[in-house]
Amino acid sequence: MAHILSPRRAALAQGDEGAGWLDRIDPRSRILGASLFAMVVVACSRLEVLGLAFACSLALLLAARLPIRPTLKRMAAMDGFILFMLVLLPFTVPGETIVTLWGFTASWQGLARAVEIALTANAVVLALMVLVGTMEPVTLGHALHALKMPERLVHLLMFSIRYIGTLREEYLRLRVAMKIRGFRPRTNWHTYRSYGYLVGMMLVRAVERSERILGAMKCRGFSGRITMLHSFCLTRADLAFGAGLCGTLAVLLLLEFGPWP
């Protein structure tokens, strides 16, 4: 999955000195750490705590030495999905009025709720992108299998990551073939039928490709089980990473649920 963020080297197994310290952390620790961080952040609701959690995610991004601009661009793409909801929240949550536009009243409570959702989503997504999104698909699959995830789910994840690009290329080839034959999308039944044929043809070709892939895997001795390429082991770096993460999460929980107002 490292290609999603940048063309970094997969140096986890080789222990490349040029790789960042995060690449030398046990993948199981990174997955568990990202899951715990997400659960703690989602459980928080105070804006100060969520702001601190987002700052921790940014610090993790800087410490991991990932390219900042491409990573933030991908976060902005995620924000585009929730932007409409965030804009509407101040106008749908009752409370103290901020401003009135065209008869619609925006409230401070709605604005606070929108900021809360934005901070929560960005903190969680950024941590996941740094801790999990930089793993190679095979390493991620092996780590999930080592964490006793169901093998079929692990297979499904690995094949989805591996072949989603192939399906996209097939879709682009079919679209080019349609354009060469003079197809121009319009709002009519011919366009709807053409898109239906496009989806059907993609499904047919996907099934055919899956049968060829299964045959090739069986020829290479695949028996339906994941063969581990290397064994994972905890090191002092993993213990230090876990201790630092647990300390950070404890501070967030203490600030959120502490006795002070």
Side-chain angles (χ1 to χ4, degrees):
M1 198 178 292
H3 61 281
I4 297 177
L5 291 178
S6 65
R8 298 181 67 202
R9 295 168 295 175
L12 177 63
Q14 290 80 8
D16 192 346
E17 295 180 358
W21 64 269
L22 188 63
D23 290 330
R24 291 188 285 270
I25 301 297
D26 192 313
R28 298 172 299 175
S29 301
R30 292 164 62 178
I31 294 174
L32 291 176
S35 302
L36 289 175
F37 183 83
M39 288 188 290
V40 170
V41 173
V42 170
C44 298
S45 59
R46 300 178 63 175
L47 295 183
E48 315 88 69
V49 179
L50 293 174
L52 179 59
F54 182 65
C56 293
S57 297
L58 288 176
L60 190 62
L61 171 64
L62 297 176
R65 296 188 299 177
L66 293 177
I68 297 178
R69 182 174 296 180
T71 305
L72 295 182
K73 282 184 177 180
R74 284 159 177 79
M75 281 188 58
M78 182 276 300
D79 289 332
F81 287 100
I82 64 174
L83 181 61
F84 184 72
M85 179 189 67
L86 297 179
V87 171
L88 289 181
L89 269 177
F91 296 94
T92 56
V93 176
E96 185 181 352
T97 302
I98 303 176
V99 66
T100 301
L101 295 176
W102 300 297
F104 296 97
T105 301
S107 65
W108 286 108
Q109 287 76 6
L111 179 61
R113 185 65 58 85
V115 174
E116 175 187 339
I117 293 175
L119 288 175
T120 302
N122 283 277
V124 171
V125 170
L126 182 57
L128 288 174
M129 292 175 68
V130 173
L131 293 175
V132 180
T134 52
M135 294 184 193
E136 290 295 328
V138 175
T139 301
L140 177 61
H142 287 168
L144 291 175
H145 181 261
L147 291 173
K148 308 303 180 182
M149 290 289 292
E151 281 189 293
R152 292 190 178 183
L153 289 180
V154 176
H155 288 159
L156 180 62
L157 173 65
M158 295 178 68
F159 281 116
S160 298
I161 295 174
R162 169 61 180 85
Y163 289 104
I164 193 170
T166 304
L167 292 177
R168 180 177 181 274
E169 293 175 358
E170 189 68 34
Y171 165 77
L172 293 177
R173 283 197 294 269
L174 292 173
R175 283 297 305 272
V176 170
M178 293 172 65
K179 290 181 179 180
I180 291 176
R181 290 167 174 80
F183 173 75
R184 295 295 182 271
R186 296 182 177 86
T187 309
N188 51 37
W189 285 111
H190 173 70
T191 300
Y192 300 150
R193 284 196 300 268
S194 299
Y195 279 123
Y197 295 149
L198 172 63
V199 174
M201 185 57 64
M202 285 188 60
L203 292 176
V204 170
R205 297 197 176 184
V207 171
E208 294 176 349
R209 182 178 289 271
S210 67
E211 292 175 350
R212 293 197 300 270
I213 293 171
L214 179 60
M217 293 174 64
K218 287 182 177 179
C219 290
R220 290 164 174 80
F222 180 72
S223 60
R225 300 188 62 84
I226 297 177
T227 302
M228 300 294 290
L229 300 181
H230 62 277
S231 59
F232 298 115
C233 60
L234 293 176
T235 63
R236 291 182 178 179
D238 301 321
L239 297 178
F241 170 76
L245 181 63
C246 290
T248 302
L249 298 181
V251 171
L252 294 177
L253 291 174
L254 185 61
L255 293 175
E256 176 68 25
F257 301 103
W260 44 81

